[in-house]
Amino acid sequence: MARAFTAVVAASLAVALLLEHPGHAQVRPIYDQGASGLTQLLERLQTTASALHTGAHPDDEDSAFIARTARGDHARVAYMALNRGEGGQNIIGTELFDALGVIRTEELLQARRLDGGEQFFTRTFDYGFSKTLAEAAAKWNEHDVLGDMVRVIRTFRPLVMYSRFTGTPADGHGHHQFAGYLTPLAFKAAADPAQFPEQLKEGLRAWRVRKLYRGSRNEPPTVQVQTGMLDPVTGRTFGEISAEGRSQHKTQEMGTIEPRGPQSSGLRLLESSVQGGTPEQSVFDGIDVTVPGLAALAGLPAGTLRAELAAMDTAAKKALADYEPLTPAAIIPALADGLRATRAARSALPSSTATPDARADADFLLAFKEHDFAEAIATAAGISIDPLADSETVVQGGALTVTVRTFAPQGAQITVTADQVTAPSGWNVESLAGADNAPAPNAFAARDVPSHTARYRLTVPADAPLTQPYFLQQKRQGDSYAWSDDAPKTLPFGPAPLEGHVTMEVGGVSITITRPVQYRFGDRVRGELRREVNVVPAVVVGLDSRLLIVPLGTTPAQQRLVVRATSFAPQATSGTLRLRLPQGWTSVPASVPFTLATRGDKTSASFVVTAPAGRTAGTMEIGAEAQVGGAVFSRDLQLIAYPHIQTHRLYWPAVATVQVMDLKLVPLRVGYIMGSGDQVPDALRRMGVNVTLIDDEMLATGDLSTFNTIVVGVRASEARPEFVANNGRLRQYMEQGGTLIVQYQQPDYVMRGLPPYAAQSPENSRVTDETAPVQMLAPKHPLFTFPNLITAADFGGWVQERNLYAFNTFDKAHYTALLQTVDPGEAPQDGGEVYAEVGKGRYVYTAFAWFRQLPAGVPGAYRQFANLISLSKAPRP
């Protein structure tokens, strides 16, 4: 009996995890509201269908399939990506790596909010473009990644799986191949209790997926999933809905039209344990996904729960048949009957003769039905539960007020019987009853007239964990995130930290509706916005630069370092700012007192840091901290805030890495044309270069001749229309003696004819192995001799990749190839950096990944980039 109880409890916990809705998307759930939302709930009550789709990155998903299956077949659908896209570029900002992964996780959640799916991840970190499966397998631990995929399958328990990729070179990207290779292995391993038994000890259970498909690509499909059908409920085709979701991938510049008319996704069946029709009409052919079929699907003995399931089915069908959008409350009695029957079925399970696993599987499915019946009742009754906090942030040891508000139409027959706010362990939750239970003094809340309110005072422990993505709480291990044992593994983010629960009587049944606690505010441009409550430190401390570049020298070297402090505390905070310095280094002043009056106040202090004479090359750290009473604050905050996603706060040690290196510079005035956003201008300033960002007006009408060198940022041909429009002015700048350095651009750069002489740059022209050997083809060229002498050592310690979007063919009468590099097993590439003379001036196209190396503090990258910008003052080659 204990085994049976454990299995059923585990099933209930899995359902609770799936219903937590982690990571609440910023985009409004337009298809899940009102008559459309209720209709989809009623349709979902008719089926037990479920599908899991696998891919490698954000944007790999067949979003049209997800939309059709979730909103057309009304199945539970999820997309599992191996990684969060951290290794890509960012077209909308400067965030890269972990921060970019947070943004792209949010963008996937925006897409799922629209297409109706859910989202999962494995622990892998996107280390950048990969050409082969072997490279991906070498970077990631196959056993761990397979275990994560099995965990998702055992948690979500899909009937059908669909692999976007084949696991062969036809998939292109090595990550794609790895996802396609692992999916069939995970399909089998999830059903085997001997595989990953530690998951069974946690409460998960083995699960046998009934069917496995993959994208048909060049093979004839087994089934064509029609995605261009018009959904009369939403008034849109599933293709249109999916394209709207796909346009949420804004960091990848994936905004797209929303196509209408016939479309389909071709899938090829790989494995099946059921008999389906030929040709298949649906991925669920051969699987009984009806409510009466739930017993057999779960493996219950024949006849088990027959009466209860029949009553559920009858009630769900009656509610859908009787539904009139203008009088939704009329179907509440039918929905109440369905809810009672569902609860009766769950109550009858423990006394059935079924195996523990069969009972647990049945309870897993019934729990979703109970949830959907309750949600349908609340929606039909017009009930809205809206718990609001009086602040978006609360400091460790602080407090906030939460008002749980219930709204119901006038005359609605509902009775609130209980309310509650749940919080993390250690928090104190106190009900503010009686006179104190009036609505909070808030201008927006004052306009609302709830049917029922309940207020709570929540006190946060002084040692409460800060709110941040769970996968960033521990240091990454190579190219994989480290998850703690209690982390919500494979989920996008952790569950909402605070939730409001309201129990009420509606239609003769009791239902409990749970919603996340949010902070609501009005933006004068964007209107109402909502945020989850975040626990924050009383003070955050940061440095104006996380990287310092200090040249070698025989005399002391000074640099100015600014320490900033920001308060999150509602009361005045006073303390002292200071630096933690390497041995032999000094700062003036040694410390600076500060006072911050209230939440949001900021201050800063300048320190002149002196590096000693005779310093040696190497890496060291300078830390910043604020002493406030007996507490020391030494963490910096990175705020990630964009209109299309939820706000996130990432915390990093308030530390600047110091690179002491042999670096020579010449006096220069450098202009920089930003592309899609990078940190190269900051790197130039770290070197002491006088750099000016060239805006559109200066690009079009300014005197460009004032710059010795102009540097073009990555992907400028995509992100800066004025760069394209004024290409003639840049050519004139070169002809009159200027030097133009162009960092990597997408193939559109050469397709538009922007280089000074003919060249080609295909999309796959790149070297992804950051350790690939590099040969200087013209070692006496000034780019390798002035003012720094470049050697093979300057290509050591690189991160992520060598180059991308190199020229593969170019006019060798005008261009001189400077560097040659090669990925293992491929032909050498010599178009990664080329030089040309244009009139009196000079031109360099350099596809090497400076935008990654410079923020990472790679010494050789700084030495080479110093030579690039100094080319204008170098002797002619």
Side-chain angles (χ1 to χ4, degrees):
M1 190 66 179
R3 170 75 175 84
F5 176 78
T6 301
V8 172
V9 168
S12 299
L13 290 175
V15 173
L17 185 69
L18 294 173
L19 294 177
E20 282 283 2
H21 301 295
H24 302 277
Q26 173 67 29
V27 65
R28 292 183 184 273
I30 53 176
Y31 302 119
D32 296 323
Q33 296 177 320
S36 169
L38 180 53
T39 302
Q40 292 186 73
L41 271 172
L42 297 177
E43 293 275 15
R44 195 160 68 230
L45 285 170
Q46 320 293 318
T47 182
T48 58
S50 56
L52 177 64
H53 181 32
T54 66
H57 311 97
D59 86 353
D60 284 345
E61 71 269 29
D62 183 347
S63 49
F65 168 85
I66 295 174
R68 161 60 203 271
T69 310
R71 299 205 180 277
D73 297 324
H74 307 288
R76 291 189 301 114
V77 186
Y79 173 55
M80 173 170 55
L82 293 190
N83 61 57
R84 300 168 188 261
E86 302 91 339
Q89 284 83 60
N90 182 359
I91 201 71
I92 65 172
T94 60
E95 295 88 354
L96 295 173
F97 301 114
D98 298 283
L100 179 58
V102 171
I103 300 174
R104 290 194 171 176
T105 299
E106 274 285 348
E107 290 177 338
L108 277 171
L109 291 175
Q110 314 309 308
R112 297 295 83 81
R113 171 64 67 89
L114 294 167
D115 61 35
E118 299 174 53
Q119 185 65 49
F120 294 97
F121 296 93
T122 73
R123 74 187 69 193
T124 64
F125 174 86
D126 182 356
Y127 58 83
F129 189 89
S130 178
K131 293 180 178 178
T132 65
L133 187 155
E135 183 184 13
K139 292 280 190 178
W140 296 329
N141 183 299
E142 179 177 321
H143 178 270
D144 289 348
V145 182
L146 180 62
D148 294 342
M149 297 178 77
V150 168
R151 176 182 294 278
V152 172
I153 295 169
R154 289 173 174 173
T155 301
F156 191 70
R157 309 181 81 73
L159 297 173
V160 168
M161 286 182 65
Y162 164 25
S163 174
R164 189 68 188 270
F165 300 113
T166 65
T168 70
D171 298 329
H173 201 312
H175 297 177
H176 298 169
Q177 297 178 50
F178 198 54
Y181 160 71
L182 286 180
T183 297
L185 300 181
F187 171 84
K188 289 184 171 68
D192 184 356
Q195 297 287 327
F196 305 99
E198 69 279 4
Q199 296 179 4
L200 307 187
K201 293 178 182 178
E202 296 174 20
L204 293 176
R205 293 171 296 111
W207 176 248
R208 179 172 58 90
V209 183
R210 302 321 193 255
K211 300 167 79 173
L212 173 64
Y213 293 86
R214 76 178 178 206
S216 61
R217 294 192 176 265
N218 298 323
E219 305 170 292
T222 307
V223 60
Q224 291 280 5
V225 178
Q226 300 302 317
T227 61
M229 302 165 54
L230 178 69
D231 176 22
V233 175
T234 62
R236 313 199 74 202
T237 69
F238 302 113
E240 287 180 276
I241 293 172
S242 71
E244 183 184 10
R246 202 162 188 80
S247 292
Q248 300 301 312
H249 294 297
K250 299 185 187 302
T251 55
Q252 303 188 66
E253 201 177 26
M254 295 198 70
T256 183
I257 60 171
E258 298 169 10
R260 299 175 180 172
Q263 299 175 66
S264 64
S265 293
L267 280 63
R268 184 169 180 80
L269 183 64
L270 295 182
E271 296 193 42
S272 176
S273 60
V274 300
Q275 295 298 318
T278 305
E280 290 185 312
Q281 302 301 308
S282 164
V283 295
F284 300 111
D285 278 4
I287 308 173
D288 188 350
V289 294
T290 65
V291 172
L294 182 152
L297 194 63
L300 300 177
T304 306
L305 302 183
R306 178 175 293 157
E308 292 88 349
L309 293 175
M312 290 169 57
D313 188 49
T314 298
K317 288 179 177 175
K318 178 174 174 53
L320 181 60
D322 293 350
Y323 173 50
E324 295 288 344
L326 298 181
T327 56
I331 64 171
I332 290 177
L335 293 170
D337 288 342
L339 181 58
R340 281 188 283 264
T342 306
R343 288 173 174 169
R346 296 189 75 181
S347 297
L349 268 177
S351 60
S352 75
T353 60
T355 65
D357 280 344
R359 290 201 290 270
D361 285 344
D363 193 66
F364 178 86
L365 295 171
L366 288 168
F368 283 106
K369 295 302 166 204
E370 180 173 1
H371 172 271
D372 287 349
F373 270 119
E375 287 288 335
I377 289 171
T379 304
I383 297 167
S384 176
I385 309 301
D386 190 19
L388 292 181
D390 63 354
S391 175
E392 180 184 355
T393 59
V394 58
V395 299
Q396 295 166 308
L400 76 162
T401 300
V402 172
T403 305
V404 182
R405 307 160 342 131
T406 303
F407 296 86
Q410 189 172 6
Q413 299 300 305
I414 72 163
T415 303
V416 174
T417 58
D419 48 65
Q420 180 186 14
V421 170
T422 54
S425 175
W427 289 45
N428 182 59
V429 181
E430 177 189 3
S431 174
L432 301 178
D436 289 334
N437 209 23
N442 178 294
F444 285 94
R447 302 175 190 175
D448 299 332
V449 184
S451 307
H452 180 270
T453 61
R455 293 183 70 219
Y456 294 84
R457 187 68 171 169
L458 279 64
T459 305
V460 183
D463 61 351
L466 302 177
T467 305
Q468 61 180 323
Y470 74 89
F471 51 90
L472 297 180
Q473 290 176 354
Q474 299 191 50
K475 187 176 181 180
R476 216 179 334 115
Q477 297 176 352
D479 292 308
S480 295
Y481 288 114
W483 294 341
S484 62
D485 290 340
D486 59 350
K489 303 167 185 175
T490 74
L491 293 185
F493 299 108
L498 306 176
E499 291 183 323
H501 312 263
V502 176
T503 301
M504 64 197 81
E505 294 283 340
V506 187
V509 292
S510 177
I511 62 172
T512 298
I513 302 299
T514 300
R515 297 289 184 264
V517 174
Q518 297 177 320
Y519 172 70
R520 178 178 70 167
F521 65 100
D523 182 282
R524 293 191 179 275
V525 174
R526 296 170 57 201
E528 179 178 311
L529 297 176
R530 289 173 175 252
R531 298 284 184 264
E532 290 186 357
V533 176
N534 278 203
V535 178
V536 296
V539 177
V540 293
V541 181
L543 294 156
D544 64 340
S545 176
R546 294 176 64 181
L547 178 65
L548 291 182
I549 302 300
V550 179
L552 288 174
T554 57
T555 60
Q558 292 186 334
Q559 290 209 21
R560 179 173 174 267
L561 199 57
V562 177
V563 179
R564 46 183 166 71
T566 304
S567 173
F568 281 104
Q571 69 280 349
T573 302
S574 297
T576 302
L577 295 175
R578 59 177 180 249
L579 295 174
R580 299 190 309 274
L581 297 166
Q583 183 70 31
W585 292 52
T586 60
S587 74
V588 177
S591 63
V592 176
F594 74 92
T595 297
L596 299 169
T598 187
R599 178 189 290 124
D601 277 7
K602 300 179 181 180
T603 191
S604 62
S606 293
F607 295 82
V608 176
V609 177
T610 301
R615 53 197 173 274
T616 57
T619 303
M620 54 201 71
E621 290 184 344
I622 295 176
E625 58 188 29
Q627 176 88 39
V628 179
V632 175
F633 298 92
S634 58
R635 275 188 282 199
D636 196 1
L637 167 68
Q638 182 178 6
L639 183 69
I640 297 178
Y642 286 94
H644 69 299
I645 64 171
Q646 277 283 352
T647 296
H648 288 270
R649 295 171 175 85
L650 313 185
Y651 295 94
W652 314 106
V655 168
T657 300
V658 181
Q659 287 285 11
V660 180
M661 65 179 73
D662 182 9
L663 178 68
K664 298 178 179 64
L665 293 166
V666 295
L668 291 166
R669 185 154 188 247
V670 175
Y672 198 93
I673 301 172
M674 286 293 288
S676 65
D678 61 50
Q679 300 172 43
V680 173
D682 293 333
L684 295 174
R685 294 187 183 102
R686 288 188 198 103
M687 290 192 286
V689 175
N690 179 3
V691 59
T692 300
L693 296 183
I694 298 178
D695 59 20
D696 288 350
E697 182 178 357
M698 178 178 287
L699 193 53
T701 64
D703 183 3
L704 300 180
S705 67
T706 61
F707 300 111
N708 303 109
T709 304
I710 293 177
V711 180
V712 179
V714 299
R715 299 177 71 169
S717 59
E718 291 179 284
R720 292 286 297 277
E722 287 300 309
F723 164 67
V724 177
N726 288 284
N727 188 60
R729 292 197 79 229
L730 291 170
R731 174 134 192 167
Q732 185 181 45
Y733 162 78
M734 289 186 286
E735 290 173 343
Q736 294 174 353
T739 296
L740 184 68
I741 310 294
V742 179
Q743 297 177 81
Y744 101 85
Q745 306 294 314
Q746 292 271 2
D748 71 297
Y749 176 69
V750 295
M751 292 171 60
R752 295 171 184 256
L754 300 179
Y757 307 111
Q760 293 295 323
S761 175
E763 195 157 329
N764 61 353
S765 181
R766 62 173 82 200
V767 174
T768 61
D769 183 354
E770 66 272 19
T771 66
V774 180
Q775 178 184 355
M776 287 179 281
L777 299 176
K780 294 184 179 180
H781 194 283
L783 280 176
F784 304 129
T785 62
F786 180 84
N788 299 285
L789 180 62
I790 304 304
T791 69
D794 290 300
F795 293 94
W798 279 46
V799 298
Q800 185 158 323
E801 57 204 334
R802 284 297 192 200
N803 63 38
L804 56 170
Y805 300 99
F807 288 170
N808 72 324
T809 61
F810 48 90
D811 180 356
K812 294 186 178 180
H814 288 96
Y815 292 110
T816 299
L818 300 174
L819 295 172
Q820 183 184 86
T821 185
V822 58
D823 268 331
E826 296 191 355
Q829 177 206 90
D830 60 3
E833 186 166 287
V834 297
Y835 167 87
E837 296 194 356
V838 183
K840 298 178 182 179
R842 309 176 188 190
Y843 169 87
V844 176
Y845 178 77
T846 178
F848 280 73
W850 311 112
F851 74 105
R852 296 200 186 280
Q853 314 313 318
L854 296 174
V858 177
Y862 274 88
R863 287 164 43 80
Q864 292 186 68
F865 214 84
N867 284 16
L868 281 165
I869 60 174
S870 301
L871 184 60
S872 57
K873 293 196 174 182
R876 291 278 174 176

